[in-house]
Amino acid sequence: QVQLVESGGGLVQAGGSLRLSCSASGLTFGSYAMGWFRQAPGKEREFVAAITWGSSNTYYSDSVKGRFTISRDNRKNTVYLQMNMVKPEDTAVYYCAGALASSQLVKGVSSYWGQGTQVTVSS
């Protein structure tokens, strides 16, 4: 059974930083592209970032480019999202996702989803 478990969410002030982690089990982690999505209240879930299986390529939405960094450690079956210079509009539930291709993640398609972790940015 595949499990993606996010952690690291919480309350942070605007301009601050937060690092999210996603621990994966039940899948061959190194074979999957991994990504992060978010869903704010009253809005649809949106793509945030993705990373290929070997970390050779990363992709970001325009809204987070230059502020967020996605990375992974295949030895630990974990993917990270470093969030810097956060803004109140970054407030959302953040979801970890896994797919066989990063192109799927960028299009919003994923084979597996985590339960989500809440990030709240205060102004």
Side-chain angles (χ1 to χ4, degrees), residues 51-114:
I51 186 167
T52 52
W53 64 269
S55 302
S56 58
N57 293 96
T58 56
Y59 307 89
Y60 299 94
S61 67
D62 289 342
S63 61
V64 307
K65 197 173 296 181
R67 300 188 297 120
F68 292 8
T69 302
I70 188 171
S71 62
R72 65 189 295 163
D73 186 339
N74 287 350
R75 297 167 301 175
K76 296 182 179 180
N77 285 8
T78 302
V79 60
Y80 306 96
L81 185 68
Q82 178 66 45
M83 306 168 61
N84 296 330
M85 297 182 290
V86 296
K87 305 174 181 180
E89 51 263 44
D90 294 322
T91 295
V93 177
Y94 283 71
Y95 297 91
C96 176
L100 289 176
S102 54
S103 57
Q104 293 178 322
L105 293 171
V106 173
K107 294 175 184 177
V109 176
S110 179
S111 299
Y112 305 108
W113 296 95

Side-chain angles (χ1 to χ4, degrees), residues 10-58:
L11 177 64
V12 60
Q13 286 190 330
S17 298
L18 206 61
R19 189 174 85 153
L20 306 183
S21 300
C22 171
S23 179
S25 61
L27 76 169
T28 306
F29 185 75
S31 296
Y32 281 79
M34 299 299 295
W36 290 93
F37 290 74
R38 67 186 182 186
Q39 187 168 18
K43 296 187 177 181
E44 293 188 352
R45 185 159 53 189
E46 64 172 356
F47 167 77
V48 175
I51 186 167
T52 52
W53 64 269
S55 302
S56 58
N57 293 96
T58 56

